[in-house]
Amino acid sequence: LLSGKPYKKIFTDRTDEVGVLAHFFNQVTKSFSSVSGGILERNRMSTDLNVAAQLQRDILPSESPKAAGLEVVAKTKAATEVGGDAYNFLRSGDKVYFYIGDVTGHGVAAGLIMTMVNSLITVFSDYHDSAYEILIRVNRYLKKHVKQAMYMTLVMLCWDEKKQSLSYVGAGHEYILVYRAESGECERLMSGGLALGMVEDNSKMISEKDIPLSPGDFVV
């Protein structure tokens, strides 16, 4: 029964011990059948979640990008099978974009939005020359396709290899920490901006800012 195999109900009019046993058997098998169905459904959902989790892991970069003048290190560990945490690296000419983001909530819905945003950023980075323009386009498209309560905080940085300069655009994400090697001090920069998917037009609510760097500085 627990493995999902079929069984036959016992029909009897007897009222003696055999009849009691038959009644007991029918009640137990009915309960087991319900449990079996639940187990099979849970196994199916578990399999689907494992596939989704693997697809999401495949989206994340397997190695850090090579960028002249910059060393990049990244690592993530999922809290659940599928979630909304994401980061990625993208190259466009002399510029290397990298972002980190987090979708509201957990589970499959958050994972779907994370996948959508990653795809949009990948596409728009080929057509626009700044993180500011990329996030405006991503937000505009995302807002049309997600519910009001779903959004994604994000910060995108851009390393210009030719100018050897770093800039960032915040979309309601955490602070950026900058460690100054020369002074041994740590600065905390507010990423600012508004989370993606909250308003239709975020062009006046986000901005691109520079992070002046010296050799040996760290950005977290």
Side-chain angles (χ1 to χ4, degrees):
L1 287 170
L2 290 177
S3 64
K5 293 181 179 179
Y7 67 94
K8 292 183 178 181
K9 186 176 180 179
I10 296 176
F11 294 95
T12 178
D13 294 329
R14 295 178 61 163
T15 57
D16 55 6
E17 291 86 346
V18 174
V20 172
L21 286 172
H23 176 75
F24 177 75
F25 174 82
N26 289 336
Q27 291 300 315
V28 170
T29 52
K30 182 179 180 181
S31 298
F32 275 175
S33 177
S34 177
V35 171
S36 175
I39 291 174
L40 291 174
E41 178 62 17
R42 187 167 70 246
N43 288 340
R44 184 193 65 79
M45 292 180 65
S46 178
T47 300
D48 290 345
L49 280 176
N50 288 334
V51 172
Q54 184 59 52
L55 289 172
Q56 196 170 47
R57 284 193 295 269
D58 291 341
I59 290 174
L60 298 175
S62 58
E63 59 184 20
S64 298
K66 290 178 171 59
L70 192 70
E71 182 181 1
V72 182
V73 178
K75 186 177 182 180
T76 184
K77 183 176 181 181
T80 56
E81 293 91 343
V82 181
D85 298 326
Y87 71 93
N88 206 351
F89 312 113
L90 303 159
R91 174 176 286 278
S92 180
D94 296 324
K95 294 183 177 180
V96 179
Y97 298 102
F98 39 101
Y99 78 85
I100 181 170
D102 183 16
V103 180
T104 52
H106 299 281
V108 176
L112 288 172
I113 293 178
M114 168 268 190
T115 305
M116 184 188 300
V117 169
N118 183 80
S119 299
L120 291 171
I121 289 177
T122 301
V123 171
F124 288 128
S125 64
D126 287 335
Y127 296 96
H128 300 285
D129 196 38
S130 71
Y132 173 77
E133 290 291 337
I134 292 171
L135 293 191
I136 288 177
R137 299 302 186 279
V138 171
N139 176 80
R140 187 176 299 167
Y141 189 90
L142 185 67
K143 179 60 179 175
K144 295 178 182 178
H145 296 86
V146 297
K147 293 182 179 179
Q148 190 171 3
M150 300 296 291
Y151 52 87
M152 183 173 188
T153 65
L154 183 145
V155 60
M156 174 177 276
L157 296 97
C158 175
W159 174 251
D160 191 318
E161 289 183 319
K162 188 175 291 185
K163 297 179 180 178
Q164 291 287 287
S165 63
L166 183 69
S167 61
Y168 72 94
V169 178
H173 204 62
E174 298 288 345
Y175 284 87
I176 299 172
L177 304 180
V178 183
Y179 171 76
R180 301 296 181 184
E182 186 175 347
S183 64
E185 296 180 349
C186 189
E187 300 176 9
R188 188 174 70 160
L189 306 178
M190 182 182 290
S191 64
L194 192 68
L196 301 176
M198 293 191 74
V199 296
E200 292 183 3
D201 183 8
N202 64 346
S203 59
K204 295 182 180 179
M205 299 176 184
I206 64 173
S207 60
E208 190 154 10
K209 301 176 182 178
D210 294 325
I211 303 179
L213 293 177
S214 299
D217 288 351
F218 282 82
V219 178
V220 182

